[in-house]
Amino acid sequence: MTDIQISQEGPRLKIELTRPDHENRLTYEMMLSIRDAVLRVNTDETIRVVTISGSTNLFCAGEDKDTLGEWPSEFSGRGPLGSHGLPPLPQQEMISALRSCKKPTVALLTGKVAGLGLDIAAASDHRIATEKTIISDGRIQNAEHVATGITHILPRLIGLSQATRILLLGDELTAIEASRIGLIHAVYASDDFTDEAARFIDKISTLATRSYSIIKEQTIEQLDMPYEWALKHSLAIRQTNVIEDRAEAAAAFKEKREPKFSGR
Amino acid sequence: MTNEDTSPLVFDDPNITGLRHIRLNNPNKLNVLNSAQQEIIAAAITVAQYDSAVSCLVFSGEGRAFCAGNDIITKAKALPEYRQHQVDLEIGSGPIGLHDLITKIRNFPKPTVVLMQGFALGAGYDIATSCDIRIATSDCKFGDPRVHRALWAAEGWSYKITRLIPQSYFSEMHLRGELLSGEYAMEIGLVHRTFNPDIDLRESASEILRHLASLPGKSYAMAKDSLLRGLDLRFEDLQISTRSHPAELNYK
């Protein structure tokens, strides 16, 4: 497929949206490719970071209902025709897979981020951007449906008040403003972005990946739990997961050197 | 004592189609609210909800302040419908009426905006935190001083504020009863726009009000509903609930 490139570079799984003539809007096929790639990563020990990127001056403008493509055969029988159109199942499954991915995920935001593109960014662990990035939703303005789970994710990332601003009021945020409200983690000048992003990704890919994934699982699942349950959940996770890198961390500490983690 | 009518005013904006105003009109007392006034507002909200000509609701106050809180001096008797709920202690009728009012505002399926100048305290703050969009003058004093009056604040801000803004700001504002300026409330994300206090907020905010009044109503209602429900649902449950959203919601 030419609309999306998925490749491995060392420990990094690179997902690139390459449909610039449609502002990198996603088709059903692209959504399911992302879902499948991200699900595979969960059990692939060689991959320690997943990145999603667009083109030089464009991340992803969302989806375009006229160019989504054929309704995927795996969902046949789950798309009853009606005045409100097909249900957003492929969108939801892609976002769910990203959100619960066991490896670090980084969205590289360059330029326009809108609609489903915003959902992808918000479901990733890290969002870094060029100074030219503009984030908005736009779905309400176009009388579209917001049903990917972003209404769950965004208020937990930045608070309901600012989520309302983006989703309901429809504000367009510059990278600086998005960074101010905590939506973006780092903003770089466009010229430096490739180098800075590479540094950022390298650093994440050398972390103790297994430890990372356990903490991520705890954090995301515990968003929906009462405090007392969260403590018990943490305990259960601790008792049922082995982190081999613990030995290396202890050795490095003792020998006063930087640890070299395997990710296991 | 004059018999001047201090009831809230309910009227449609002369310049912006679909915009309905609910304007507190007791400026000599900084628009403090009594239970009869709350009842008028609640009734006006119900009318606006089912009036297809209304596409956006805006709350504002006449005079120096949006709303300085509940009228704790002239204790109005509880309205008949709440009498059976009244706790028989010397603490008055309790916040049941205000609960109903702010819940109606919160669940209102069209855009809700509050314009705050001067003060937005107590009940005024409860109304503000139940609206979708908060607009303030930069010098507006904003918050809940009830802790200083040895009062409860039982109107749900303990739920709302920790979800509206990051929790780390919570103790400063609420447990210490500190008032925020409009500017600071903007910085921490609680307020969406601030404007010059020397200009009437209705004028400063006209562009944003016009925008909100022109949005596709059904899409807005669905997104708002799932944002609010999403606060209390697990991720998976919210996704499932939104799949059938459009068919269930049928207002324009």
Side-chain angles (χ1 to χ4, degrees):
Chain A
M1 203 186 349
T2 55
D3 294 340
I4 188 166
Q5 302 289 331
I6 299 179
S7 57
Q8 184 170 354
E9 270 180 17
R12 169 183 180 187
L13 184 84
K14 214 168 159 182
I15 301 175
E16 294 168 279
L17 308 177
T18 49
R19 202 184 176 216
D21 50 334
H22 287 86
E23 290 191 293
N24 288 337
R25 285 172 214 269
L26 294 146
T27 62
Y28 285 142
E29 208 178 346
M30 291 161 77
M31 294 172 203
L32 296 186
S33 304
I34 295 175
R35 178 199 65 181
D36 294 344
V38 170
L39 290 178
R40 266 197 308 274
V41 155
N42 288 339
T43 50
D44 185 341
E45 275 194 4
T46 65
I47 291 174
R48 294 171 68 186
V49 63
V50 178
T51 63
I52 301 196
S53 55
S55 333
T56 316
N57 289 311
L58 170 70
F59 178 67
C60 170
E63 60 190 301
D64 170 3
K65 65 179 187 305
D66 297 327
T67 63
L68 282 167
E70 290 284 305
W71 182 242
S73 56
E74 69 173 279
F75 296 118
S76 63
R78 297 186 68 194
L81 292 172
S83 59
H84 54 274
L86 291 160
L89 289 170
Q91 292 87 337
Q92 288 195 348
E93 292 208 352
M94 171 184 67
I95 296 301
S96 296
L98 257 176
R99 179 173 180 269
S100 59
C101 179
K102 289 189 187 300
K103 304 295 166 79
T105 50
V106 186
L108 304 173
L109 309 179
T110 48
K112 187 170 182 175
V113 182
L116 194 55
L118 168 67
D119 301 348
I120 290 176
S124 303
D125 299 342
H126 307 278
R127 288 163 288 285
I128 61 176
T130 63
E131 83 231 318
K132 288 183 183 142
T133 296
I134 300 283
I135 296 186
S136 64
D137 183 47
R139 277 171 285 207
I140 286 177
Q141 276 67 20
N142 297 326
E144 287 169 9
H145 192 192
V146 183
T148 51
I150 186 69
T151 50
H152 181 283
I153 296 172
L154 210 51
R156 284 162 178 77
L157 281 180
I158 55 173
L160 178 63
S161 192
Q162 292 298 311
T164 300
R165 179 181 171 205
I166 297 174
L167 295 178
L168 299 186
L169 182 58
D171 269 3
E172 287 193 344
L173 307 189
T174 61
I176 299 293
E177 176 64 0
S179 155
R180 187 188 74 83
I181 65 168
L183 186 56
I184 284 180
H185 299 99
V187 183
Y188 301 111
S190 299
D191 292 345
D192 306 334
F193 186 73
T194 313
D195 292 344
E196 294 289 354
R199 244 192 299 279
F200 190 96
I201 293 159
D202 280 350
K203 197 170 159 195
I204 285 178
S205 70
T206 58
L207 294 174
T209 312
R210 182 111 185 92
S211 183
Y212 182 106
S213 81
I214 291 168
I215 294 170
K216 175 171 170 180
E217 186 179 349
Q218 280 184 204
T219 312
I220 289 180
E221 292 187 5
Q222 289 175 6
L223 283 172
D224 295 338
M225 285 179 207
Y227 174 72
E228 291 76 10
W229 296 9
L231 293 185
K232 294 199 165 74
H233 179 255
S234 305
L235 212 56
I237 285 191
R238 183 186 177 280
Q239 298 304 90
T240 51
N241 281 282
V242 177
I243 305 172
E244 289 176 21
D245 277 331
R246 282 174 64 197
E248 166 63 9
F253 183 76
K254 211 166 151 189
E255 293 157 26
K256 295 189 170 62
R257 61 172 171 82
E258 286 296 313
K260 254 183 98 65
F261 291 126
S262 68
R264 286 191 297 276
Chain B
M1 244 347 236
T2 60
N3 285 325
E4 200 186 343
D5 188 5
T6 57
S7 302
L9 307 171
V10 180
F11 57 96
D12 289 332
D13 195 281
N15 302 315
I16 301 175
T17 313
L19 186 68
R20 180 153 297 171
H21 290 266
I22 296 182
R23 191 159 173 85
L24 309 184
N25 187 33
N26 191 3
N28 293 332
K29 291 175 127 185
L30 299 178
N31 293 322
V32 290
L33 282 173
N34 62 37
S35 49
Q37 291 167 347
Q38 287 174 20
E39 189 66 4
I40 292 171
I41 298 171
I45 293 169
T46 305
V47 170
Q49 176 161 350
Y50 297 107
D51 185 343
S52 60
V54 176
S55 54
C56 179
L57 194 57
V58 56
F59 295 89
S60 60
E62 198 60 55
R64 288 192 292 129
F66 165 61
C67 173
N70 257 342
D71 191 345
I72 51 174
I73 314 281
T74 42
K75 274 236 179 326
K77 284 263 183 264
L79 294 163
E81 61 174 297
Y82 297 125
R83 273 188 200 138
Q84 54 181 320
H85 299 296
Q86 200 165 352
V87 183
D88 191 16
L89 294 170
E90 290 175 359
I91 56 173
S93 58
I96 297 171
L98 192 54
H99 273 192
D100 271 9
L101 173 62
I102 57 167
T103 304
K104 265 191 173 140
I105 297 173
R106 183 174 166 83
N107 294 336
F108 192 75
K110 308 172 190 184
T112 49
V113 186
V114 60
L115 305 179
M116 300 176 284
Q117 79 281 14
F119 294 96
L121 312 177
Y125 180 62
D126 291 324
I127 291 176
T129 50
S130 300
C131 287
D132 301 337
I133 304 299
R134 284 165 286 284
I135 294 173
T137 56
S138 49
D139 64 349
C140 179
K141 296 285 179 211
F142 194 63
D144 197 309
R146 273 173 281 206
V147 65
H148 297 311
R149 313 250 187 290
L151 287 169
W152 312 259
E155 288 78 19
W157 59 243
S158 40
Y159 173 96
K160 285 186 291 182
I161 302 300
T162 49
R163 287 158 177 82
L164 284 169
I165 56 170
Q167 279 195 33
S168 49
Y169 297 118
F170 182 80
S171 44
E172 165 183 39
M173 288 177 64
H174 290 94
L175 303 181
R176 286 178 55 211
E178 293 278 295
L179 297 187
L180 312 178
S181 70
E183 228 157 44
Y184 183 65
M186 174 89 185
E187 195 182 312
I188 65 174
L190 193 53
V191 155
H192 298 98
R193 296 281 194 281
T194 52
F195 290 108
N196 183 342
D198 299 330
I199 300 167
D200 190 318
L201 270 180
R202 284 173 293 181
E203 194 180 311
S204 310
S206 62
E207 192 187 331
I208 201 168
L209 293 172
R210 200 181 300 276
H211 166 73
L212 285 163
S214 70
L215 289 173
K218 198 165 163 180
S219 187
Y220 190 98
M222 290 188 299
K224 176 170 175 174
D225 186 67
S226 65
L227 260 177
L228 294 180
R229 275 169 205 273
L231 296 173
D232 296 333
L233 286 178
R234 294 166 62 245
F235 178 72
E236 295 77 7
D237 297 334
L238 180 74
Q239 277 200 336
I240 291 165
S241 82
T242 52
R243 279 177 207 163
S244 58
H245 227 160
E248 283 171 9
L249 287 168
N250 208 19
Y251 28 76
K252 266 209 239 164

